[in-house]
Amino acid sequence: SIGLLGNLFSRLGSSCMPFLVPLLLQVSLNFSPFRAGMMMIPVAVAGMLVKRVTTPLITRYGYRRVLVTNTALVGITMASFAFISPSQPLWLHIVQLAVFGAVNSMQFTAMNTVTLRDLEPNMASSGNSLLSMVQMLAMSLGVAVAASVLARCTAYFAPPGAAQTLSAFDANFVVMGLVTMASAWIFWQLEHD
């Protein structure tokens, strides 16, 4: 139950990033759609590379410590996108996206395994199906919540313009990062060992 609730609320925040980041890059930083899409490659590459260290970290520090700490890191990394500006060099954008990809991938791996680890073999299939449904629900809700927050922030920072749009995105990243960080409380309920 902790794994499912944690998946739902943690993904509520982090699932908005594949929606928000390319939109930010295109609308506020004037990237072409192709270039904005290519900027998501560091997220995927870092996510694959960090898989090797996730299991040793969980084995050494335990699920509770890894998930609470990493959930905070995911939220902080998401909120750091509020500091993106057109004057930043490309390499800094790539590093920021790669760091987000790494901590986000570690989060997903740890959340999924803690959700399924105590299930009996005859319940594993049902548990995996329920986990998949929660993941899809959280991703849909994450995009919907982020779009709603972005609409509110855009209205607040009116009149429309490039600087106001960037300010709306900045506020949105902070709000969604805080939503993700708040979900660390759910993982705090795990047993200490």
Side-chain angles (χ1 to χ4, degrees):
S1 62
I2 293 172
L4 287 175
L5 283 173
N7 253 290
L8 179 64
F9 288 102
S10 180
R11 285 180 192 265
L12 184 68
S14 63
S15 293
C16 70
M17 295 300 279
F19 164 68
L20 285 178
V21 171
L23 195 60
L24 164 76
L25 295 174
Q26 291 177 66
V27 172
S28 295
L29 303 183
N30 296 319
F31 281 34
S32 69
F34 177 76
R35 186 174 176 202
M38 294 297 285
M39 290 297 290
M40 298 308 288
I41 290 175
V43 176
V45 170
M48 289 186 289
L49 293 176
V50 81
K51 294 290 186 195
R52 290 190 164 276
V53 300
T54 303
T55 301
L57 279 173
I58 292 171
T59 303
R60 181 170 181 169
Y61 297 108
Y63 278 106
R64 181 182 180 190
R65 189 177 296 173
V66 168
L67 280 168
V68 169
T69 303
N70 199 65
T71 302
L73 289 174
V74 171
I76 289 167
T77 307
M78 289 172 62
S80 76
F81 281 84
F83 297 107
I84 284 183
S85 71
S87 62
Q88 286 178 329
L90 180 63
W91 69 265
L92 189 57
H93 295 308
I94 292 171
V95 168
Q96 188 176 21
L97 288 162
V99 170
F100 170 73
V103 293
N104 201 42
S105 176
M106 186 178 295
Q107 183 78 3
F108 289 168
T109 301
M111 285 189 310
N112 293 348
T113 56
V114 78
T115 302
L116 301 174
R117 75 182 177 129
D118 291 333
L119 294 179
E120 298 295 329
N122 62 334
M123 297 297 292
S125 178
S126 298
N128 200 28
S129 297
L130 183 59
L131 175 61
S132 295
M133 188 271 307
V134 167
Q135 289 172 346
M136 294 298 115
L137 176 65
M139 285 190 281
S140 301
L141 288 173
V143 172
V145 169
S148 297
V149 171
L150 184 60
R152 293 283 182 176
C153 291
T154 302
Y156 179 79
F157 290 106
Q164 291 79 10
T165 303
L166 186 57
S167 296
F169 274 104
D170 293 347
N172 198 354
F173 284 118
V174 170
V175 168
M176 298 311 288
L178 290 172
V179 167
T180 300
M181 283 189 269
S183 68
W185 179 82
I186 295 169
F187 298 117
W188 188 258
Q189 309 308 310
L190 288 166
E191 295 174 9
H192 186 66
D193 58 352

